[in-house]
Amino acid sequence: MQDLISGGCLCGAITYKIYFPEDAIYPPKPHTCQCTQCRKQSGALILHLITVPCSDVNWHGPKPSEYTSTPGVVRRFCNACGTSLSWQSEQSPEQIEIMTGTLDERILMSEKGKELAKPEYQTWCCRFISGVTDIIKDGKKYAQGSDSSLIA
């Protein structure tokens, strides 16, 4: 069981630590998203996230800026450097999705990183770019959100 992971934005102004209590789910629901909004926000074809309880995340530095991308969904980012940090839905206010790429490099390059990078599921697979973004073999594949139909 891992008890702590850390990360932050590109400029270093905002950092966070995620503490995992003994009974926590680990790895914390690693998954990918290929929806248009995640692509636009991150600038990446595939966004990778981990889902954790809000109470397990301790933010340091200035409060992340917020953008309501759709009704009921807040995306947080660093106002200084623009790093996308998190996604949160009012449908699950007790959970927050942290952008996996914002984890500290020492975490990502370790055995912990391998566990965190292997998706349990993939969302918005209806947006696959054939031969490019459909290459990740791990995890269940949902046509849209994780409450939609499975495609594989």
Side-chain angles (χ1 to χ4, degrees):
M1 174 64 183
Q2 309 301 322
D3 58 347
L4 168 73
I5 57 176
S6 56
C9 67
L10 178 62
C11 71
I14 300 173
T15 60
Y16 60 83
K17 291 183 180 176
I18 303 172
Y19 296 92
F20 295 96
E22 285 298 318
D23 60 346
I25 295 171
Y26 196 92
K29 298 183 187 172
H31 60 283
T32 64
C33 184
Q34 295 191 44
C35 77
T36 301
Q37 290 183 357
C38 282
R39 285 178 173 169
K40 295 281 188 182
Q41 181 196 20
S42 67
L45 296 175
I46 303 172
L47 184 62
H48 196 289
L49 309 107
I50 56 173
T51 305
V52 296
C54 294
S55 59
D56 293 352
V57 181
N58 290 3
W59 296 95
H60 305 279
K63 182 179 177 185
S65 294
E66 295 183 351
Y67 173 69
T68 302
S69 56
T70 53
V73 173
V74 173
R75 295 171 183 270
R76 292 184 183 86
F77 60 96
C78 175
N79 197 45
C81 66
T83 299
S84 299
L85 296 163
S86 68
W87 181 98
Q88 189 172 21
S89 171
E90 67 183 23
Q91 292 180 340
S92 301
E94 72 287 348
Q95 295 183 333
I96 189 168
E97 297 191 20
I98 300 290
M99 310 312 184
T100 310
T102 66
L103 292 171
D104 290 337
E105 194 71 12
R106 65 179 173 73
I107 302 291
L108 290 173
M109 300 306 293
S110 70
E111 288 301 313
K112 285 185 205 180
K114 287 182 186 177
E115 290 178 311
L116 295 168
K118 186 175 181 180
E120 290 181 8
Y121 61 94
Q122 301 179 53
T123 59
W124 286 92
C125 297
C126 64
R127 300 274 196 268
F128 276 162
I129 299 169
S130 182
V132 179
T133 66
D134 59 351
I135 60 172
I136 299 172
K137 303 300 179 205
D138 296 314
K140 295 178 182 175
K141 295 173 178 66
Y142 293 95
Q144 295 182 0
S146 60
D147 57 353
S148 69
S149 60
L150 285 169
I151 65 168

